[in-house]
Amino acid sequence: DAGITQSPRHKVTETGTPVTLRCHQTENHRYMYWYRQDPGHGLRLIHYSYGVKDTDKGEVSDGYSVSRSKTEDFLLTLESATSSQTSVYFCAIRAGLGGRDTQYFGPGTRLTVL
Amino acid sequence: GNSVTQMEGPVTLSEEAFLTINCTYTATGYPSLFWYVQYPGEGLQLLLKATKADDKGSNKGFEATYRKETTSFHLEKGSVQVSDSAVYFCALSAQGGSEKLVFGKGTKLTVNP
């Protein structure tokens, strides 16, 4: 358990509304990531952060923005949600548990955009 | 670019059968390789990993060997149990650490009693 929580765990929203998902970690890890999981695609990286206020784009960043004002929190925002953003969203941290860097995942947020 | 290809599922086995899930990769340099498992309704858990050629990762009876000559990292288990039913993901990190992971599409395994 890498001390990662995500909120909310489930959300239903309507097209065009803004949505913010939160990832919270308790162990001061520098790197944090947001992925989305869709059938037939595995997991795809949306954005990641390598420190407070330091973020970069991943493979599928269009339509998403992120912010990291504190080490422990990494927020993912959908400015205007679309049905194509219906997905399960996972947050991850990079940690050196077990002697080498590895990513550890949160429990996920299931987002439905109607 | 970097990519991971794993065998398509679903895979259905009887309890105590031998499991192989194939994974091959394309990457520059010397990537680290991972297997993650996702049980129904849960997030991904690291199952095992290998960081250099010929390394063998192992955990919970599962094994995978990093084969650079065949660019493969096949997952094996000698005797599966019903509790192994899950989706398995192969992944690589091209930087050698875990700055960015590239995932395969996942293979769903169902084990019947």
Side-chain angles (χ1 to χ4, degrees), chain A residues 31 33 35 37 40 42-43 45 48 90 94 100-107, chain B residues 34 36 38 42-44 46 49 51 89 96-101 103-105:
Chain A
Y31 283 83
Y33 307 80
Y35 292 89
Q37 182 181 24
L43 273 78
L45 182 65
Y48 68 102
F90 288 99
R94 175 184 176 184
R100 295 296 297 267
D101 283 359
T102 299
Q103 288 189 26
Y104 296 87
F105 287 79
Chain B
F34 305 82
Y36 283 85
Q38 184 178 33
E42 298 185 10
L44 275 73
L46 177 67
K49 64 180 180 181
T51 58
F89 292 92
S98 61
E99 185 176 357
K100 294 181 184 179
L101 285 176
F103 284 87
K105 295 182 178 181

PDB file of all heavy atoms in Angstrom, chain A residues 31 33 35 37 40 42-43 45 48 90 94 100-107, chain B residues 34 36 38 42-44 46 49 51 89 96-101 103-105:
ATOM      1  N   TYR A  31       7.123  12.025  -7.878  1.00  0.00           N
ATOM      2  CA  TYR A  31       6.446  11.817  -9.154  1.00  0.00           C
ATOM      3  C   TYR A  31       5.030  11.316  -8.929  1.00  0.00           C
ATOM      4  O   TYR A  31       4.794  10.383  -8.146  1.00  0.00           O
ATOM      5  CB  TYR A  31       7.192  10.775  -9.991  1.00  0.00           C
ATOM      6  CG  TYR A  31       8.438  11.283 -10.667  1.00  0.00           C
ATOM      7  CD1 TYR A  31       9.641  11.352  -9.977  1.00  0.00           C
ATOM      8  CD2 TYR A  31       8.411  11.661 -12.004  1.00  0.00           C
ATOM      9  CE1 TYR A  31      10.790  11.809 -10.604  1.00  0.00           C
ATOM     10  CE2 TYR A  31       9.556  12.111 -12.642  1.00  0.00           C
ATOM     11  CZ  TYR A  31      10.743  12.182 -11.932  1.00  0.00           C
ATOM     12  OH  TYR A  31      11.870  12.632 -12.560  1.00  0.00           O
ATOM     13  N   TYR A  33       1.224  10.550 -11.372  1.00  0.00           N
ATOM     14  CA  TYR A  33       0.760  10.317 -12.742  1.00  0.00           C
ATOM     15  C   TYR A  33      -0.755  10.191 -12.755  1.00  0.00           C
ATOM     16  O   TYR A  33      -1.358   9.709 -11.806  1.00  0.00           O
ATOM     17  CB  TYR A  33       1.350   9.008 -13.292  1.00  0.00           C
ATOM     18  CG  TYR A  33       2.839   8.898 -13.182  1.00  0.00           C
ATOM     19  CD1 TYR A  33       3.440   8.529 -11.990  1.00  0.00           C
ATOM     20  CD2 TYR A  33       3.652   9.152 -14.277  1.00  0.00           C
ATOM     21  CE1 TYR A  33       4.815   8.423 -11.884  1.00  0.00           C
ATOM     22  CE2 TYR A  33       5.032   9.047 -14.173  1.00  0.00           C
ATOM     23  CZ  TYR A  33       5.608   8.686 -12.979  1.00  0.00           C
ATOM     24  OH  TYR A  33       6.970   8.577 -12.877  1.00  0.00           O
ATOM     25  N   TYR A  35      -3.576   8.307 -15.354  1.00  0.00           N
ATOM     26  CA  TYR A  35      -3.835   7.438 -16.492  1.00  0.00           C
ATOM     27  C   TYR A  35      -5.346   7.298 -16.668  1.00  0.00           C
ATOM     28  O   TYR A  35      -6.113   7.448 -15.730  1.00  0.00           O
ATOM     29  CB  TYR A  35      -3.283   6.026 -16.235  1.00  0.00           C
ATOM     30  CG  TYR A  35      -1.792   5.909 -16.164  1.00  0.00           C
ATOM     31  CD1 TYR A  35      -1.123   6.082 -14.956  1.00  0.00           C
ATOM     32  CD2 TYR A  35      -1.046   5.584 -17.289  1.00  0.00           C
ATOM     33  CE1 TYR A  35       0.258   5.949 -14.880  1.00  0.00           C
ATOM     34  CE2 TYR A  35       0.338   5.442 -17.219  1.00  0.00           C
ATOM     35  CZ  TYR A  35       0.974   5.636 -16.012  1.00  0.00           C
ATOM     36  OH  TYR A  35       2.338   5.497 -15.942  1.00  0.00           O
ATOM     37  N   GLN A  37      -8.077   4.281 -18.240  1.00  0.00           N
ATOM     38  CA  GLN A  37      -8.172   2.887 -18.670  1.00  0.00           C
ATOM     39  C   GLN A  37      -9.451   2.697 -19.461  1.00  0.00           C
ATOM     40  O   GLN A  37     -10.545   2.971 -18.965  1.00  0.00           O
ATOM     41  CB  GLN A  37      -8.174   1.932 -17.472  1.00  0.00           C
ATOM     42  CG  GLN A  37      -8.227   0.467 -17.890  1.00  0.00           C
ATOM     43  CD  GLN A  37      -8.251  -0.495 -16.721  1.00  0.00           C
ATOM     44  OE1 GLN A  37      -8.662  -0.145 -15.614  1.00  0.00           O
ATOM     45  NE2 GLN A  37      -7.787  -1.707 -16.947  1.00  0.00           N
ATOM     46  N   GLY A  40      -9.716  -2.353 -24.496  1.00  0.00           N
ATOM     47  CA  GLY A  40      -8.977  -2.452 -25.751  1.00  0.00           C
ATOM     48  C   GLY A  40      -7.781  -1.516 -25.856  1.00  0.00           C
ATOM     49  O   GLY A  40      -7.067  -1.542 -26.863  1.00  0.00           O
ATOM     50  N   GLY A  42      -5.776  -0.711 -22.768  1.00  0.00           N
ATOM     51  CA  GLY A  42      -4.910  -0.775 -21.594  1.00  0.00           C
ATOM     52  C   GLY A  42      -4.968   0.535 -20.838  1.00  0.00           C
ATOM     53  O   GLY A  42      -6.015   1.185 -20.764  1.00  0.00           O
ATOM     54  N   LEU A  43      -3.845   0.954 -20.278  1.00  0.00           N
ATOM     55  CA  LEU A  43      -3.752   2.240 -19.591  1.00  0.00           C
ATOM     56  C   LEU A  43      -2.940   3.204 -20.438  1.00  0.00           C
ATOM     57  O   LEU A  43      -1.900   2.835 -20.985  1.00  0.00           O
ATOM     58  CB  LEU A  43      -3.074   2.083 -18.228  1.00  0.00           C
ATOM     59  CG  LEU A  43      -4.008   1.732 -17.076  1.00  0.00           C
ATOM     60  CD1 LEU A  43      -4.348   0.261 -17.118  1.00  0.00           C
ATOM     61  CD2 LEU A  43      -3.380   2.097 -15.745  1.00  0.00           C
ATOM     62  N   LEU A  45      -1.233   7.211 -20.480  1.00  0.00           N
ATOM     63  CA  LEU A  45      -0.811   8.320 -19.640  1.00  0.00           C
ATOM     64  C   LEU A  45      -1.436   9.624 -20.117  1.00  0.00           C
ATOM     65  O   LEU A  45      -1.347   9.973 -21.303  1.00  0.00           O
ATOM     66  CB  LEU A  45       0.717   8.418 -19.659  1.00  0.00           C
ATOM     67  CG  LEU A  45       1.343   9.503 -18.800  1.00  0.00           C
ATOM     68  CD1 LEU A  45       1.086   9.241 -17.317  1.00  0.00           C
ATOM     69  CD2 LEU A  45       2.841   9.589 -19.073  1.00  0.00           C
ATOM     70  N   TYR A  48       1.643  13.904 -16.130  1.00  0.00           N
ATOM     71  CA  TYR A  48       2.379  13.516 -14.949  1.00  0.00           C
ATOM     72  C   TYR A  48       3.045  14.732 -14.334  1.00  0.00           C
ATOM     73  O   TYR A  48       3.127  15.810 -14.954  1.00  0.00           O
ATOM     74  CB  TYR A  48       3.394  12.411 -15.246  1.00  0.00           C
ATOM     75  CG  TYR A  48       4.555  12.823 -16.118  1.00  0.00           C
ATOM     76  CD1 TYR A  48       5.799  13.094 -15.559  1.00  0.00           C
ATOM     77  CD2 TYR A  48       4.427  12.874 -17.501  1.00  0.00           C
ATOM     78  CE1 TYR A  48       6.872  13.440 -16.351  1.00  0.00           C
ATOM     79  CE2 TYR A  48       5.489  13.221 -18.301  1.00  0.00           C
ATOM     80  CZ  TYR A  48       6.713  13.497 -17.725  1.00  0.00           C
ATOM     81  OH  TYR A  48       7.779  13.839 -18.521  1.00  0.00           O
ATOM     82  N   PHE A  90      -6.945   6.389 -13.177  1.00  0.00           N
ATOM     83  CA  PHE A  90      -6.049   5.925 -12.122  1.00  0.00           C
ATOM     84  C   PHE A  90      -4.926   6.929 -11.898  1.00  0.00           C
ATOM     85  O   PHE A  90      -4.331   7.440 -12.851  1.00  0.00           O
ATOM     86  CB  PHE A  90      -5.429   4.576 -12.491  1.00  0.00           C
ATOM     87  CG  PHE A  90      -6.396   3.435 -12.413  1.00  0.00           C
ATOM     88  CD1 PHE A  90      -7.006   2.951 -13.561  1.00  0.00           C
ATOM     89  CD2 PHE A  90      -6.693   2.842 -11.198  1.00  0.00           C
ATOM     90  CE1 PHE A  90      -7.895   1.897 -13.500  1.00  0.00           C
ATOM     91  CE2 PHE A  90      -7.580   1.794 -11.122  1.00  0.00           C
ATOM     92  CZ  PHE A  90      -8.188   1.316 -12.273  1.00  0.00           C
ATOM     93  N   ARG A  94       5.434   7.254  -8.151  1.00  0.00           N
ATOM     94  CA  ARG A  94       6.692   6.553  -8.406  1.00  0.00           C
ATOM     95  C   ARG A  94       7.421   6.455  -7.090  1.00  0.00           C
ATOM     96  O   ARG A  94       7.637   7.467  -6.413  1.00  0.00           O
ATOM     97  CB  ARG A  94       7.521   7.316  -9.420  1.00  0.00           C
ATOM     98  CG  ARG A  94       8.902   6.753  -9.686  1.00  0.00           C
ATOM     99  CD  ARG A  94       9.640   7.673 -10.640  1.00  0.00           C
ATOM    100  NE  ARG A  94      11.005   7.250 -10.864  1.00  0.00           N
ATOM    101  CZ  ARG A  94      11.879   7.937 -11.602  1.00  0.00           C
ATOM    102  NH1 ARG A  94      11.526   9.055 -12.179  1.00  0.00           N
ATOM    103  NH2 ARG A  94      13.104   7.487 -11.768  1.00  0.00           N
ATOM    104  N   ARG A 100      14.023  -0.592  -6.115  1.00  0.00           N
ATOM    105  CA  ARG A 100      14.111   0.074  -7.405  1.00  0.00           C
ATOM    106  C   ARG A 100      12.819   0.824  -7.674  1.00  0.00           C
ATOM    107  O   ARG A 100      11.757   0.431  -7.231  1.00  0.00           O
ATOM    108  CB  ARG A 100      14.360  -0.937  -8.533  1.00  0.00           C
ATOM    109  CG  ARG A 100      15.687  -1.640  -8.462  1.00  0.00           C
ATOM    110  CD  ARG A 100      16.851  -0.680  -8.637  1.00  0.00           C
ATOM    111  NE  ARG A 100      16.848  -0.055  -9.949  1.00  0.00           N
ATOM    112  CZ  ARG A 100      17.524  -0.548 -10.989  1.00  0.00           C
ATOM    113  NH1 ARG A 100      18.230  -1.643 -10.855  1.00  0.00           N
ATOM    114  NH2 ARG A 100      17.497   0.070 -12.144  1.00  0.00           N
ATOM    115  N   ASP A 101      12.910   1.903  -8.431  1.00  0.00           N
ATOM    116  CA  ASP A 101      11.738   2.708  -8.728  1.00  0.00           C
ATOM    117  C   ASP A 101      10.670   1.904  -9.449  1.00  0.00           C
ATOM    118  O   ASP A 101      10.966   1.184 -10.400  1.00  0.00           O
ATOM    119  CB  ASP A 101      12.132   3.899  -9.598  1.00  0.00           C
ATOM    120  CG  ASP A 101      12.813   4.985  -8.808  1.00  0.00           C
ATOM    121  OD1 ASP A 101      12.965   4.807  -7.586  1.00  0.00           O
ATOM    122  OD2 ASP A 101      13.186   5.998  -9.403  1.00  0.00           O
ATOM    123  N   THR A 102       9.444   2.067  -9.011  1.00  0.00           N
ATOM    124  CA  THR A 102       8.302   1.390  -9.586  1.00  0.00           C
ATOM    125  C   THR A 102       7.097   2.292  -9.400  1.00  0.00           C
ATOM    126  O   THR A 102       7.070   3.114  -8.494  1.00  0.00           O
ATOM    127  CB  THR A 102       8.063   0.042  -8.858  1.00  0.00           C
ATOM    128  OG1 THR A 102       9.212  -0.779  -9.018  1.00  0.00           O
ATOM    129  CG2 THR A 102       6.854  -0.682  -9.412  1.00  0.00           C
ATOM    130  N   GLN A 103       6.099   2.145 -10.252  1.00  0.00           N
ATOM    131  CA  GLN A 103       4.864   2.903 -10.074  1.00  0.00           C
ATOM    132  C   GLN A 103       3.841   2.075  -9.316  1.00  0.00           C
ATOM    133  O   GLN A 103       3.679   0.877  -9.562  1.00  0.00           O
ATOM    134  CB  GLN A 103       4.299   3.340 -11.425  1.00  0.00           C
ATOM    135  CG  GLN A 103       5.128   4.450 -12.067  1.00  0.00           C
ATOM    136  CD  GLN A 103       4.464   5.049 -13.288  1.00  0.00           C
ATOM    137  OE1 GLN A 103       3.250   5.033 -13.420  1.00  0.00           O
ATOM    138  NE2 GLN A 103       5.277   5.601 -14.170  1.00  0.00           N
ATOM    139  N   TYR A 104       3.143   2.753  -8.403  1.00  0.00           N
ATOM    140  CA  TYR A 104       2.093   2.133  -7.606  1.00  0.00           C
ATOM    141  C   TYR A 104       0.819   2.923  -7.818  1.00  0.00           C
ATOM    142  O   TYR A 104       0.832   4.151  -7.839  1.00  0.00           O
ATOM    143  CB  TYR A 104       2.483   2.107  -6.123  1.00  0.00           C
ATOM    144  CG  TYR A 104       3.704   1.248  -5.883  1.00  0.00           C
ATOM    145  CD1 TYR A 104       4.986   1.785  -6.002  1.00  0.00           C
ATOM    146  CD2 TYR A 104       3.579  -0.108  -5.595  1.00  0.00           C
ATOM    147  CE1 TYR A 104       6.108   0.990  -5.818  1.00  0.00           C
ATOM    148  CE2 TYR A 104       4.695  -0.899  -5.408  1.00  0.00           C
ATOM    149  CZ  TYR A 104       5.955  -0.344  -5.536  1.00  0.00           C
ATOM    150  OH  TYR A 104       7.058  -1.136  -5.365  1.00  0.00           O
ATOM    151  N   PHE A 105      -0.296   2.197  -7.913  1.00  0.00           N
ATOM    152  CA  PHE A 105      -1.541   2.793  -8.360  1.00  0.00           C
ATOM    153  C   PHE A 105      -2.568   2.947  -7.250  1.00  0.00           C
ATOM    154  O   PHE A 105      -2.625   2.139  -6.318  1.00  0.00           O
ATOM    155  CB  PHE A 105      -2.140   1.931  -9.478  1.00  0.00           C
ATOM    156  CG  PHE A 105      -1.396   2.052 -10.762  1.00  0.00           C
ATOM    157  CD1 PHE A 105      -0.209   1.369 -10.962  1.00  0.00           C
ATOM    158  CD2 PHE A 105      -1.857   2.880 -11.770  1.00  0.00           C
ATOM    159  CE1 PHE A 105       0.506   1.500 -12.148  1.00  0.00           C
ATOM    160  CE2 PHE A 105      -1.159   3.010 -12.964  1.00  0.00           C
ATOM    161  CZ  PHE A 105       0.028   2.321 -13.148  1.00  0.00           C
ATOM    162  N   GLY A 106      -3.393   3.985  -7.403  1.00  0.00           N
ATOM    163  CA  GLY A 106      -4.544   4.172  -6.534  1.00  0.00           C
ATOM    164  C   GLY A 106      -5.691   3.283  -6.959  1.00  0.00           C
ATOM    165  O   GLY A 106      -5.600   2.547  -7.942  1.00  0.00           O
ATOM    166  N   PRO A 107      -6.823   3.368  -6.233  1.00  0.00           N
ATOM    167  CA  PRO A 107      -7.959   2.473  -6.480  1.00  0.00           C
ATOM    168  C   PRO A 107      -8.797   2.848  -7.694  1.00  0.00           C
ATOM    169  O   PRO A 107      -9.617   2.045  -8.132  1.00  0.00           O
ATOM    170  CB  PRO A 107      -8.782   2.597  -5.201  1.00  0.00           C
ATOM    171  CG  PRO A 107      -8.470   3.970  -4.705  1.00  0.00           C
ATOM    172  CD  PRO A 107      -7.040   4.217  -5.058  1.00  0.00           C
TER     173      PRO A 107
ATOM    174  N   PHE B  34       7.627  -4.871 -16.582  1.00  0.00           N
ATOM    175  CA  PHE B  34       6.736  -5.077 -15.443  1.00  0.00           C
ATOM    176  C   PHE B  34       5.534  -5.936 -15.850  1.00  0.00           C
ATOM    177  O   PHE B  34       5.086  -5.898 -16.998  1.00  0.00           O
ATOM    178  CB  PHE B  34       6.178  -3.736 -14.934  1.00  0.00           C
ATOM    179  CG  PHE B  34       7.228  -2.713 -14.594  1.00  0.00           C
ATOM    180  CD1 PHE B  34       7.802  -1.924 -15.577  1.00  0.00           C
ATOM    181  CD2 PHE B  34       7.627  -2.530 -13.277  1.00  0.00           C
ATOM    182  CE1 PHE B  34       8.760  -0.971 -15.265  1.00  0.00           C
ATOM    183  CE2 PHE B  34       8.584  -1.576 -12.953  1.00  0.00           C
ATOM    184  CZ  PHE B  34       9.147  -0.799 -13.952  1.00  0.00           C
ATOM    185  N   TYR B  36       1.682  -6.165 -14.183  1.00  0.00           N
ATOM    186  CA  TYR B  36       0.713  -5.706 -13.199  1.00  0.00           C
ATOM    187  C   TYR B  36      -0.526  -6.600 -13.285  1.00  0.00           C
ATOM    188  O   TYR B  36      -0.858  -7.122 -14.355  1.00  0.00           O
ATOM    189  CB  TYR B  36       0.297  -4.262 -13.461  1.00  0.00           C
ATOM    190  CG  TYR B  36       1.315  -3.227 -13.043  1.00  0.00           C
ATOM    191  CD1 TYR B  36       2.354  -2.859 -13.892  1.00  0.00           C
ATOM    192  CD2 TYR B  36       1.228  -2.601 -11.803  1.00  0.00           C
ATOM    193  CE1 TYR B  36       3.287  -1.896 -13.512  1.00  0.00           C
ATOM    194  CE2 TYR B  36       2.143  -1.637 -11.413  1.00  0.00           C
ATOM    195  CZ  TYR B  36       3.174  -1.294 -12.269  1.00  0.00           C
ATOM    196  OH  TYR B  36       4.088  -0.348 -11.887  1.00  0.00           O
ATOM    197  N   GLN B  38      -4.766  -6.761 -12.198  1.00  0.00           N
ATOM    198  CA  GLN B  38      -5.941  -6.006 -11.757  1.00  0.00           C
ATOM    199  C   GLN B  38      -7.063  -6.981 -11.453  1.00  0.00           C
ATOM    200  O   GLN B  38      -7.615  -7.612 -12.359  1.00  0.00           O
ATOM    201  CB  GLN B  38      -6.376  -5.014 -12.833  1.00  0.00           C
ATOM    202  CG  GLN B  38      -7.540  -4.123 -12.419  1.00  0.00           C
ATOM    203  CD  GLN B  38      -7.903  -3.130 -13.504  1.00  0.00           C
ATOM    204  OE1 GLN B  38      -7.792  -3.409 -14.694  1.00  0.00           O
ATOM    205  NE2 GLN B  38      -8.353  -1.945 -13.104  1.00  0.00           N
ATOM    206  N   GLU B  42     -10.837  -3.437  -8.770  1.00  0.00           N
ATOM    207  CA  GLU B  42      -9.706  -2.859  -8.040  1.00  0.00           C
ATOM    208  C   GLU B  42      -8.729  -2.141  -8.975  1.00  0.00           C
ATOM    209  O   GLU B  42      -8.857  -2.188 -10.191  1.00  0.00           O
ATOM    210  CB  GLU B  42      -8.968  -3.964  -7.276  1.00  0.00           C
ATOM    211  CG  GLU B  42      -9.826  -4.654  -6.239  1.00  0.00           C
ATOM    212  CD  GLU B  42      -9.026  -5.650  -5.431  1.00  0.00           C
ATOM    213  OE1 GLU B  42      -7.781  -5.673  -5.538  1.00  0.00           O
ATOM    214  OE2 GLU B  42      -9.651  -6.421  -4.667  1.00  0.00           O
ATOM    215  N   GLY B  43      -7.746  -1.467  -8.356  1.00  0.00           N
ATOM    216  CA  GLY B  43      -6.689  -0.841  -9.128  1.00  0.00           C
ATOM    217  C   GLY B  43      -5.617  -1.845  -9.520  1.00  0.00           C
ATOM    218  O   GLY B  43      -5.731  -3.037  -9.250  1.00  0.00           O
ATOM    219  N   LEU B  44      -4.574  -1.356 -10.158  1.00  0.00           N
ATOM    220  CA  LEU B  44      -3.489  -2.228 -10.594  1.00  0.00           C
ATOM    221  C   LEU B  44      -2.511  -2.457  -9.451  1.00  0.00           C
ATOM    222  O   LEU B  44      -2.158  -1.533  -8.721  1.00  0.00           O
ATOM    223  CB  LEU B  44      -2.741  -1.609 -11.770  1.00  0.00           C
ATOM    224  CG  LEU B  44      -3.319  -1.848 -13.148  1.00  0.00           C
ATOM    225  CD1 LEU B  44      -4.580  -1.019 -13.333  1.00  0.00           C
ATOM    226  CD2 LEU B  44      -2.304  -1.526 -14.220  1.00  0.00           C
ATOM    227  N   LEU B  46       1.351  -4.140  -8.661  1.00  0.00           N
ATOM    228  CA  LEU B  46       2.567  -4.669  -9.243  1.00  0.00           C
ATOM    229  C   LEU B  46       2.686  -6.150  -8.895  1.00  0.00           C
ATOM    230  O   LEU B  46       2.618  -6.541  -7.735  1.00  0.00           O
ATOM    231  CB  LEU B  46       3.781  -3.925  -8.698  1.00  0.00           C
ATOM    232  CG  LEU B  46       5.131  -4.427  -9.184  1.00  0.00           C
ATOM    233  CD1 LEU B  46       5.295  -4.170 -10.678  1.00  0.00           C
ATOM    234  CD2 LEU B  46       6.264  -3.775  -8.393  1.00  0.00           C
ATOM    235  N   LYS B  49       8.681  -7.621 -11.629  1.00  0.00           N
ATOM    236  CA  LYS B  49       9.401  -6.750 -12.540  1.00  0.00           C
ATOM    237  C   LYS B  49      10.799  -7.288 -12.769  1.00  0.00           C
ATOM    238  O   LYS B  49      11.301  -8.127 -12.010  1.00  0.00           O
ATOM    239  CB  LYS B  49       9.479  -5.338 -11.963  1.00  0.00           C
ATOM    240  CG  LYS B  49      10.270  -5.248 -10.667  1.00  0.00           C
ATOM    241  CD  LYS B  49      10.311  -3.820 -10.159  1.00  0.00           C
ATOM    242  CE  LYS B  49      11.110  -3.734  -8.868  1.00  0.00           C
ATOM    243  NZ  LYS B  49      11.153  -2.352  -8.337  1.00  0.00           N
ATOM    244  N   THR B  51      14.660  -5.583 -14.362  1.00  0.00           N
ATOM    245  CA  THR B  51      15.276  -4.324 -14.775  1.00  0.00           C
ATOM    246  C   THR B  51      16.416  -4.476 -15.755  1.00  0.00           C
ATOM    247  O   THR B  51      16.894  -3.486 -16.312  1.00  0.00           O
ATOM    248  CB  THR B  51      15.761  -3.540 -13.555  1.00  0.00           C
ATOM    249  OG1 THR B  51      16.683  -4.363 -12.838  1.00  0.00           O
ATOM    250  CG2 THR B  51      14.602  -3.163 -12.642  1.00  0.00           C
ATOM    251  N   PHE B  89      -1.501  -7.064 -17.061  1.00  0.00           N
ATOM    252  CA  PHE B  89      -0.938  -6.062 -17.954  1.00  0.00           C
ATOM    253  C   PHE B  89       0.585  -6.158 -17.958  1.00  0.00           C
ATOM    254  O   PHE B  89       1.213  -6.139 -16.898  1.00  0.00           O
ATOM    255  CB  PHE B  89      -1.309  -4.648 -17.505  1.00  0.00           C
ATOM    256  CG  PHE B  89      -2.765  -4.320 -17.633  1.00  0.00           C
ATOM    257  CD1 PHE B  89      -3.628  -4.521 -16.571  1.00  0.00           C
ATOM    258  CD2 PHE B  89      -3.273  -3.810 -18.812  1.00  0.00           C
ATOM    259  CE1 PHE B  89      -4.973  -4.214 -16.674  1.00  0.00           C
ATOM    260  CE2 PHE B  89      -4.617  -3.495 -18.934  1.00  0.00           C
ATOM    261  CZ  PHE B  89      -5.463  -3.701 -17.862  1.00  0.00           C
ATOM    262  N   GLY B  96      14.371   3.226 -18.092  1.00  0.00           N
ATOM    263  CA  GLY B  96      15.076   2.340 -17.173  1.00  0.00           C
ATOM    264  C   GLY B  96      14.598   2.486 -15.755  1.00  0.00           C
ATOM    265  O   GLY B  96      14.800   1.606 -14.944  1.00  0.00           O
ATOM    266  N   GLY B  97      13.963   3.607 -15.440  1.00  0.00           N
ATOM    267  CA  GLY B  97      13.302   3.765 -14.159  1.00  0.00           C
ATOM    268  C   GLY B  97      11.828   3.606 -14.375  1.00  0.00           C
ATOM    269  O   GLY B  97      11.422   2.748 -15.125  1.00  0.00           O
ATOM    270  N   SER B  98      11.009   4.438 -13.779  1.00  0.00           N
ATOM    271  CA  SER B  98       9.568   4.347 -14.016  1.00  0.00           C
ATOM    272  C   SER B  98       8.986   5.720 -14.285  1.00  0.00           C
ATOM    273  O   SER B  98       7.867   6.015 -13.895  1.00  0.00           O
ATOM    274  CB  SER B  98       8.878   3.688 -12.836  1.00  0.00           C
ATOM    275  OG  SER B  98       9.083   4.473 -11.672  1.00  0.00           O
ATOM    276  N   GLU B  99       9.714   6.542 -14.971  1.00  0.00           N
ATOM    277  CA  GLU B  99       9.221   7.883 -15.239  1.00  0.00           C
ATOM    278  C   GLU B  99       7.961   7.833 -16.079  1.00  0.00           C
ATOM    279  O   GLU B  99       7.013   8.550 -15.837  1.00  0.00           O
ATOM    280  CB  GLU B  99      10.284   8.710 -15.941  1.00  0.00           C
ATOM    281  CG  GLU B  99       9.873  10.151 -16.150  1.00  0.00           C
ATOM    282  CD  GLU B  99      10.976  10.983 -16.768  1.00  0.00           C
ATOM    283  OE1 GLU B  99      12.065  10.454 -16.972  1.00  0.00           O
ATOM    284  OE2 GLU B  99      10.730  12.165 -17.061  1.00  0.00           O
ATOM    285  N   LYS B 100       7.947   6.982 -17.097  1.00  0.00           N
ATOM    286  CA  LYS B 100       6.735   6.792 -17.889  1.00  0.00           C
ATOM    287  C   LYS B 100       6.589   5.307 -18.178  1.00  0.00           C
ATOM    288  O   LYS B 100       7.561   4.660 -18.576  1.00  0.00           O
ATOM    289  CB  LYS B 100       6.814   7.534 -19.215  1.00  0.00           C
ATOM    290  CG  LYS B 100       6.855   9.040 -19.095  1.00  0.00           C
ATOM    291  CD  LYS B 100       6.899   9.663 -20.482  1.00  0.00           C
ATOM    292  CE  LYS B 100       7.051  11.163 -20.404  1.00  0.00           C
ATOM    293  NZ  LYS B 100       7.116  11.778 -21.753  1.00  0.00           N
ATOM    294  N   LEU B 101       5.381   4.816 -18.000  1.00  0.00           N
ATOM    295  CA  LEU B 101       5.091   3.427 -18.312  1.00  0.00           C
ATOM    296  C   LEU B 101       4.280   3.347 -19.596  1.00  0.00           C
ATOM    297  O   LEU B 101       3.360   4.128 -19.809  1.00  0.00           O
ATOM    298  CB  LEU B 101       4.296   2.765 -17.187  1.00  0.00           C
ATOM    299  CG  LEU B 101       5.040   2.402 -15.908  1.00  0.00           C
ATOM    300  CD1 LEU B 101       4.079   1.838 -14.880  1.00  0.00           C
ATOM    301  CD2 LEU B 101       6.148   1.406 -16.196  1.00  0.00           C
ATOM    302  N   PHE B 103       1.906   0.572 -21.506  1.00  0.00           N
ATOM    303  CA  PHE B 103       1.195  -0.655 -21.171  1.00  0.00           C
ATOM    304  C   PHE B 103       0.744  -1.412 -22.413  1.00  0.00           C
ATOM    305  O   PHE B 103       0.415  -0.817 -23.445  1.00  0.00           O
ATOM    306  CB  PHE B 103      -0.061  -0.345 -20.352  1.00  0.00           C
ATOM    307  CG  PHE B 103       0.209   0.009 -18.926  1.00  0.00           C
ATOM    308  CD1 PHE B 103       0.488   1.309 -18.562  1.00  0.00           C
ATOM    309  CD2 PHE B 103       0.180  -0.971 -17.939  1.00  0.00           C
ATOM    310  CE1 PHE B 103       0.733   1.644 -17.239  1.00  0.00           C
ATOM    311  CE2 PHE B 103       0.417  -0.653 -16.619  1.00  0.00           C
ATOM    312  CZ  PHE B 103       0.703   0.655 -16.274  1.00  0.00           C
ATOM    313  N   GLY B 104       0.678  -2.729 -22.302  1.00  0.00           N
ATOM    314  CA  GLY B 104      -0.061  -3.534 -23.239  1.00  0.00           C
ATOM    315  C   GLY B 104      -1.542  -3.387 -22.961  1.00  0.00           C
ATOM    316  O   GLY B 104      -1.957  -2.740 -21.994  1.00  0.00           O
ATOM    317  N   LYS B 105      -2.371  -4.012 -23.793  1.00  0.00           N
ATOM    318  CA  LYS B 105      -3.809  -3.824 -23.688  1.00  0.00           C
ATOM    319  C   LYS B 105      -4.463  -4.678 -22.615  1.00  0.00           C
ATOM    320  O   LYS B 105      -5.641  -4.502 -22.325  1.00  0.00           O
ATOM    321  CB  LYS B 105      -4.465  -4.085 -25.040  1.00  0.00           C
ATOM    322  CG  LYS B 105      -4.042  -3.074 -26.102  1.00  0.00           C
ATOM    323  CD  LYS B 105      -4.734  -3.330 -27.428  1.00  0.00           C
ATOM    324  CE  LYS B 105      -4.308  -2.270 -28.434  1.00  0.00           C
ATOM    325  NZ  LYS B 105      -4.972  -2.448 -29.757  1.00  0.00           N
TER     326      LYS B 105
END
